[in-house]
Amino acid sequence: VIVFPQYDRGFFDRDFRRMARDFAELSAAAIAELGSSVDASQVVYSGHSKGAYVALNALGYPEARRALLPRQAVLFAVAGSDREALAQVPRGLPVTLVVGDRDGITPL
């Protein structure tokens, strides 16, 4: 099952803390609505660019983790990083970052 939460209020929306919380809360609500057909303990966050940035923040911000904490994340070309959020990602949570060696946005 793929859930695509509409966390974004437009291209220029920059409230990443709210977006991370909305991302997690909307995903948790969709999973709850699907009932026993989806195992919430098997959730994997994924995203590309801004979506990957929001998903990464959702791993770190406590208010987002309260809604849903996935078992792992696979993120493509993350459009930035928030050191505060990164510092709070639970140790041992597998996170795969896929970036190009010429990515001008996210340094290795």
Side-chain angles (χ1 to χ4, degrees), residues 7 15-25 45 53-59 61 63-65:
Y7 58 83
D15 187 348
F16 292 106
R17 188 173 287 271
R18 183 204 39 80
M19 284 189 272
R21 186 186 65 246
D22 288 353
F23 177 90
E25 288 175 354
Y45 279 177
Y53 180 58
V54 171
L56 182 59
N57 288 338
L59 296 174
Y61 294 145
E63 61 270 24
R65 285 199 319 266

Side-chain angles (χ1 to χ4, degrees), residues 20 45 52-62 64-65 69-73 75 81-97:
Y45 279 177
Y53 180 58
V54 171
L56 182 59
N57 288 338
L59 296 174
Y61 294 145
R65 285 199 319 266
L69 180 63
R71 69 178 288 165
Q72 64 183 5
L75 307 171
S81 62
D82 179 326
R83 290 191 186 277
E84 179 185 343
L86 288 174
Q88 296 182 68
V89 173
R91 295 261 185 233
L93 183 78
V95 177
T96 301
L97 298 173

Side-chain angles (χ1 to χ4, degrees), residues 10-67:
F11 182 77
F12 295 105
D13 186 356
R14 296 290 185 251
D15 187 348
F16 292 106
R17 188 173 287 271
R18 183 204 39 80
M19 284 189 272
R21 186 186 65 246
D22 288 353
F23 177 90
E25 288 175 354
L26 292 167
S27 296
I31 291 166
E33 189 173 314
L34 292 168
S36 62
S37 62
V38 176
D39 182 351
S41 70
Q42 298 299 312
V43 171
V44 175
Y45 279 177
S46 186
H48 172 259
S49 191
K50 183 179 179 182
Y53 180 58
V54 171
L56 182 59
N57 288 338
L59 296 174
Y61 294 145
E63 61 270 24
R65 285 199 319 266
R66 280 192 290 276

